[in-house]
Amino acid sequence: MPRPGETVRGIELCQYPGGKGANQAVAASRLDAAVAFFGKVGADGFGDELLDALRADGVDVAGVERADGVATGTASIWVDAAGENAIACVAGANGAVDGAYVERTLDRLAAADVVLVQFEIPIAAVSRLLERLPRGRPLVVLDPAPAGDVFALPLERVDVLTPNETELEALTGLADPERAARHLLERGVGLVVLKEGARGATAYGDETVHVAAFDVCVVDTTAAGDAFTAALAVALGEWPLRQALHFANAAGALATTQPGAQPSLPTRDAVEALLGRSLRRKP
Ligand code: ADP
C-alpha cells in the first residue's frame, strides 16, 4: 500500500465492470426480467466496456447518455498482501445525471413495471425522479447505497427501501433496526427490507417478515446485496412479499458462492434450483 509520496511495485492490475446500478441491471436480466439501464458514462474506453458488458447480459442501454468532458465513474481499489484494501471512487459521469436527464427519460421510466434506483447518482436526480414518476405504478425500489440523505426525498413515492445494516443506521442515526425501519415507514416509505448478511433479511411493513439465510459455502460476499436487491425487485412484480423475500434471499446467497461482482450474479435457473432443493428439504 503506497504511503503519500511513495511509489510501490504492484503485482497485478485487474479491471471489472461494476457500479451498483450496472450490477443490479445485470442481476435482474439474469433473472429473466426485461431490463433497461439509465444513466451516464463518459466518452472513454471504460464507458464502452461498461456498455458492452451490459449488452452482453441482454440489458437495453439505448437510454444511456455519454457525458462530455468527464470520465466514466470508477472505483480504484488497492489490495495489499494482507487483503487490506483502500478505495478511491470517482463519480465522473454519474455526477452528470441531473433533472434534465430525468425529464428526457421519464416516459420510458414511467412505462416500466419496476424502477430500481441507487444512490450512485446525485440525490437531486433521485429526488426529481421520485417527484415525476406517476403515483401507484411503477413500483419504486430504492437501494440507499452508498448511504445518503434519504429524508431529502419524497419518501411517500418509495415503495420499497433496501438498506443493509450499516446503511440503515447511517440513514437514520438509530442503532436499533426495528426502530430505524419504523422511523422510515412513518416518513412515508412503503416497506423497508433490511439485508442482514449471514442472518438473511427482514421486511418491515404492515407485518414483519424474516427469512433466515441459506446455508451456502461462502467464497466472496461482493455484490450479494446487489443480487438480493435486483431479485427482490424482479420478484415483487410476480409474487407476494414472503415468496419474493425467499427468492431474493436465494439470489443473495448464491452471489456469495462465487468470486467477483458481475460474474457471481446468479441466473434464474440457479436460484430456482436452490429454492427447489430447500423446498424438498422441508419435512
Ligand atoms: P450488502 O452486500 O449490501 O452488504 P448483505 O451482506 O446483507 O448486503 O447481503 C445481502 C443478502 O445476501 C443477504 O440479505 C442474504 O440474503 C445474502 N447473504 C449475504 N451474506 C450471506 C451469507 N454469508 N450466507 C448466506 N446468504 C448471505
Side-chain angles (χ1 to χ4, degrees), residues 61 82 86-87 96 100 107 141 168 170 180 199 233-234 239 271:
V61 292
I87 306 177
D107 286 351
V141 181
L168 183 62
R199 281 176 291 106
V234 171
W239 299 309
V271 174

Side-chain angles (χ1 to χ4, degrees), residues 144 146-151 163-175 180:
D149 182 11
V150 275
F151 297 109
N164 65 19
E165 293 170 300
T166 323
E167 288 151 4
L168 183 62
E169 183 170 350
L171 296 175
T172 58
L174 298 169

Side-chain angles (χ1 to χ4, degrees), residues 164-165 167 194-198 200-201 213-216 218 221 223-226 228 248-250 252-253 256:
N164 65 19
E165 293 170 300
E167 288 151 4
L194 175 62
K195 293 174 274 191
E196 300 169 302
F214 283 89
D215 187 9
V216 289
V218 178
T221 60
D226 291 332
F228 180 100
N249 196 32
T256 70

